[in-house]
Amino acid sequence: MPSRNPGVLTQDWEPVVLHKSKPKAQDLRDPKAVNRALRSGAAVQTIKKFDAGANKKATTAPVVNVRKLEEGTEPAALNRVAPEVRLAIQKARMAKNLSQGDLAKQINERPQVVQEYENGKAVPNQAVLAKMERVLGVKLRGKIGK
């Protein structure tokens, strides 16, 4: 057997402290962990959330129907393209022998936009009308035919 020379043997009397890791917040909210703590008699803090589980807020103000409120401040229907403007666009486009697609390309819009303006379904946009005026050479904004 090999002989060892241990040298001077000393004992280490300093205490070794092992720290238990703190439980994570998610683990503290786990129902199993809460029940375990309650059974063992540990202190469990419970906080009732304000209006927890309720969709409605208690109000003292009278309930106002939002629809009625909006109808009072905003018009029910949006303004559409006037019949005079529709006819002016169609006549000017036909006079220049342009299709709706050609006019749309020249004003950098979709053909649907030109179609909606000529059918009177579009909500007038001043920028689009200005582009049509420039290409067609017809006045489309302001007082037309008056």
Side-chain angles (χ1 to χ4, degrees):
M1 280 187 28
S3 64
R4 289 191 271 170
N5 187 2
V8 179
L9 291 176
T10 60
Q11 291 185 351
D12 189 9
W13 292 99
E14 292 183 28
V16 175
V17 179
L18 300 176
H19 294 286
K20 189 175 181 182
S21 63
K22 291 184 178 179
K24 296 178 183 169
Q26 184 65 30
D27 295 337
L28 292 175
R29 286 189 297 248
D30 183 36
K32 290 179 183 177
V34 172
N35 287 335
R36 198 177 318 118
L38 286 171
R39 275 186 298 234
S40 68
V44 177
Q45 180 182 9
T46 57
I47 299 172
K48 180 169 173 39
K49 292 184 178 178
F50 179 72
D51 284 342
N55 269 346
K56 297 181 180 178
K57 300 279 185 194
T59 58
T60 57
V63 178
V64 179
N65 191 352
V66 176
R67 185 176 182 194
K68 288 181 182 177
L69 186 62
E70 285 183 2
E71 287 176 359
T73 58
E74 297 179 11
L78 296 172
N79 296 332
R80 302 288 180 201
V81 177
E84 303 88 34
V85 176
R86 292 178 29 206
L87 292 174
I89 293 171
Q90 286 176 353
K91 287 179 183 176
R93 181 178 59 80
M94 294 293 197
K96 292 208 170 198
N97 292 326
L98 294 173
S99 67
Q100 289 180 344
D102 294 337
L103 177 60
K105 285 179 186 175
Q106 289 185 6
I107 63 171
N108 292 328
E109 294 288 342
R110 296 187 326 259
Q112 274 180 309
V113 173
V114 175
Q115 183 180 10
E116 288 174 355
Y117 271 84
E118 288 188 3
N119 291 339
K121 295 179 181 177
V123 176
N125 182 348
Q126 297 302 316
V128 174
L129 288 173
K131 290 186 222 177
M132 286 185 181
E133 283 180 349
R134 183 177 41 81
V135 171
L136 297 174
V138 177
K139 183 177 179 184
L140 301 173
R141 296 178 291 171
K143 295 182 180 179
I144 299 173
K146 293 182 181 177

